[in-house]
Amino acid sequence: MIRELVEARSGEEYELYARTINPQFMRVLRTIGFDRVWSRAQGQYLYDSEGERYLDLLGGFGMFNVGRNNPRVRAALIESLELDTPGSVQLGVSLLPGLLAEELLKRTPARLERVLFTSSGTEAVEAALKLGRAATGRSRVISTDHAFHGLTLGALSANGDPHFVERFGPLLPGFSQVPFGDLDSLERELRSEDVALFLVEPIQGKGVNLPPDGYLEGAQQLCRRHGTLFAVDEVQTGLGRTGRLFAFEHWGLEPDLVTVAKSLSGGYVPVGALLMARQVYDGVFDSLEHSVSHGSTFAPNDLAMAAGLATLRELDDANLVERSEQLGRRLLELTRPLVETHDAVKDVRGLGLMWAMEFGEPESGSLAWRMMERMQAGLFAQLVVVPLFTKHRILSQVAGHDMAVLKGLPPLVVSEDDLQEFATALDDVISKAGRPTRVAGLALRAARAR
Ligand code: PLP
């Protein structure tokens, strides 16, 4: 039935989506020339209806660490469908959730002893907020500026970027942000000993900001000293992305709460998880009456659990975590020289295969740059993303609102040749990005779309 539908209606994607789901988003895609009809995907590649191959450096916002349509994960899903597994009994349990929880706990510090499954990253964050409050009997939550933790109201209250928050207030009470990297500000907040949890991404997704030396270790110490739970959001950085299974391993951290989602199911099925210290579980689920203090109908479901088990095995067997570390180093080697050869490239940074290039006002030709930035902050990065896609068939993204930062989150199966191809393409598009014709072309298309 699905095959017939897809064959019969292929080509209608954009018109149908515009009519039934989100016409504004379709206008954006058309304006920037991203309105391709996609016919299939494999590993690090997408293929359009003309059979052209695109290199996917966006990776579904980081959900395809094991590669798109990974055969092992797909086989596990088919197998569990064929087994007619007895999932979601609700007043009863099946085997797969316990097996996935066991595998996750095996791979994380002994301090983490319990898992609560969810169906997305934002729900894992919501769970951390709720359970953190109940376990400590405190209500305040501290997060960092530029943080991104999801778009439901609790997670949104912890976000540090006003673009996501405007128009949706009032947010939850008790939330405040401190500058990422600033331990003094954090200590000032924690000293009052009324903070339930400090929530932090080990590397911030918006902008790909790496923590200064000693920051995360210091934050953990401060949390312990002041009775605050140390909650690390690994929704984007987890599952091999940064060259370790979890990014917190780079700094030898032992968080009380860890959120995971995105790539846990290989990108096939919605999934999320909150890993927690015994103290958190015991503080919330402290009686028979409180045995179901938090949950959601679909979490844990057997398909997500089967996909999670297959994903962890694939990460191990295909050595994807080491691969992420090695290829991440190679990507930096290939792209760092562009700082020297292009005036507008100010920084190249990353850890594992979480990579970014930051642009800034060139010494020469700063008038053109200033005009561009006046039209729209971060426009230069857009002028790189668009031709990378339309000319070089490489899908990438700008790292956040109003920022001149290009970001890459390729599937960890990406090859060295792909990275070489990306570096060569970058060199080409950056040299042309600031040219008046490029700027005018994009501005004209944007104006027509209004
Ligand atoms: N936390 C972080 C660090 C994220 O990067 C994201 C999504 O990008 C989320 C939470 C929210 O996850 P989801 O989109 O699955 O709700």
Side-chain angles (χ1 to χ4, degrees):
M1 169 206 157
I2 298 298
R3 184 188 297 273
E4 279 160 31
L5 273 175
V6 168
E7 282 171 5
R9 306 284 302 269
S10 177
E12 286 181 47
E13 289 80 352
Y14 290 83
E15 182 276 319
L16 192 58
Y17 209 96
R19 184 155 47 80
T20 58
I21 300 174
N22 188 346
Q24 297 294 8
F25 183 50
M26 294 308 96
R27 293 173 79 188
V28 171
L29 292 181
R30 290 203 166 110
T31 304
I32 59 176
F34 275 42
D35 52 340
R36 295 287 189 279
V37 172
W38 298 112
S39 61
R40 68 188 181 88
Q42 195 62 56
Q44 66 275 43
Y45 303 118
L46 283 157
Y47 297 83
D48 72 11
S49 55
E50 326 257 272
E52 296 289 356
R53 193 186 83 176
Y54 289 69
L55 174 60
D56 179 11
L57 296 189
L58 177 53
F61 295 137
M63 66 195 258
F64 292 114
N65 287 8
V66 296
R68 289 173 171 272
N69 293 318
N70 180 282
R72 186 197 296 262
V73 183
R74 188 182 50 204
L77 284 167
I78 293 170
E79 205 181 337
S80 57
L81 282 170
E82 286 175 351
L83 278 170
D84 288 330
T85 58
S88 303
V89 180
Q90 312 296 12
L91 293 179
V93 298
S94 56
L95 183 62
L96 295 184
L99 290 177
L100 181 57
E102 184 179 66
E103 291 298 323
L104 285 167
L105 295 176
K106 231 192 254 172
R107 291 164 166 79
T108 44
R111 186 179 189 87
L112 298 166
E113 289 188 62
R114 296 275 188 266
V115 180
L116 179 135
F117 285 107
T118 67
S119 301
S120 66
T122 200
E123 279 176 81
V125 170
E126 296 288 337
L129 300 174
K130 274 183 68 181
L131 304 194
R133 278 180 163 179
T136 57
R138 299 175 175 187
S139 61
R140 291 186 63 212
V141 174
I142 305 295
S143 54
T144 61
D145 59 358
H146 306 296
F148 185 82
H149 296 291
L151 295 177
T152 51
L153 273 170
L156 196 63
S157 304
N159 277 1
D161 176 347
H163 283 95
F164 291 107
V165 172
E166 279 161 11
R167 302 187 296 138
F168 300 110
L171 301 177
L172 299 191
F175 283 66
S176 29
Q177 277 88 45
V178 292
F180 182 70
D182 178 351
L183 286 175
D184 292 339
S185 302
L186 178 62
E187 181 158 32
R188 269 195 297 281
E189 297 292 341
L190 299 191
R191 229 182 265 145
S192 48
E193 311 232 321
D194 57 355
V195 176
L197 62 140
F198 172 55
L199 176 64
V200 67
E201 299 154 87
I203 299 173
Q204 292 190 315
K206 300 291 169 204
V208 186
N209 304 314
L210 285 105
D213 285 347
Y215 175 60
L216 294 169
E217 301 93 310
Q220 175 174 287
Q221 241 171 34
L222 287 174
C223 286
R224 298 276 198 270
R225 188 178 313 150
H226 294 291
T228 294
L229 298 171
F230 182 51
V232 175
D233 186 346
E234 293 266 4
V235 167
Q236 189 163 140
T237 49
L239 301 161
R241 170 56 53 199
T242 71
R244 296 281 186 280
L245 186 63
F246 292 102
F248 65 69
E249 296 170 26
H250 287 286
W251 301 279
L253 304 171
E254 297 209 353
D256 302 297
L257 292 162
V258 175
T259 52
V260 187
K262 290 197 191 272
S263 280
L264 180 56
S265 73
Y268 271 105
V269 218
V271 71
L274 175 69
L275 279 56
M276 58 186 131
R278 181 66 166 269
Q279 161 210 1
V280 179
Y281 174 84
D282 287 349
V284 185
F285 298 81
D286 57 354
S287 63
L288 295 183
E289 195 188 345
H290 291 160
S291 64
V292 284
S293 290
H294 190 64
S296 168
T297 305
F298 260 95
N301 70 82
D302 273 358
L303 285 183
M305 302 299 106
L309 285 162
T311 297
L312 290 178
R313 188 165 295 182
E314 181 71 355
L315 285 168
D316 287 349
D317 290 359
N319 286 322
L320 291 180
V321 182
E322 295 81 59
R323 192 182 169 84
S324 167
E325 185 182 26
Q326 284 156 15
L327 288 180
R329 234 182 282 127
R330 182 76 188 122
L331 181 55
L332 288 177
E333 271 168 27
L334 286 166
T335 50
R336 278 212 165 120
L338 298 176
V339 177
E340 305 304 322
T341 51
H342 295 277
D343 250 8
V345 179
K346 299 299 175 195
D347 188 32
V348 174
R349 56 180 175 263
L351 196 57
L353 283 169
M354 187 165 182
W355 173 95
M357 174 175 277
E358 181 152 358
F359 305 104
E361 184 170 332
E363 318 251 299
S364 56
S366 62
L367 182 65
W369 174 274
R370 279 202 293 274
M371 278 174 60
M372 254 189 302
E373 288 299 295
R374 204 172 302 145
M375 280 165 65
Q376 190 198 319
L379 181 61
F380 191 90
Q382 201 57 264
L383 289 168
V384 172
V385 166
V386 170
L388 270 180
F389 183 78
T390 51
K391 183 173 173 200
H392 294 277
R393 301 198 186 96
I394 296 174
L395 180 63
S396 62
Q397 69 172 130
V398 181
H401 290 106
D402 296 349
M403 57 173 78
V405 182
L406 174 73
K407 176 174 171 184
L409 292 175
L412 311 182
V413 297
V414 73
S415 72
E416 198 171 332
D417 286 350
D418 294 325
L419 299 181
Q420 179 72 62
E421 181 191 323
F422 173 52
T424 308
L426 261 180
D427 191 28
D428 173 52
V429 298
I430 296 167
S431 21
K432 294 171 186 147
R435 288 190 188 160
T437 46
R438 276 274 153 82
V439 184
L442 197 69
L444 196 65
R445 267 186 281 159
R448 278 201 204 113
R450 286 219 168 91

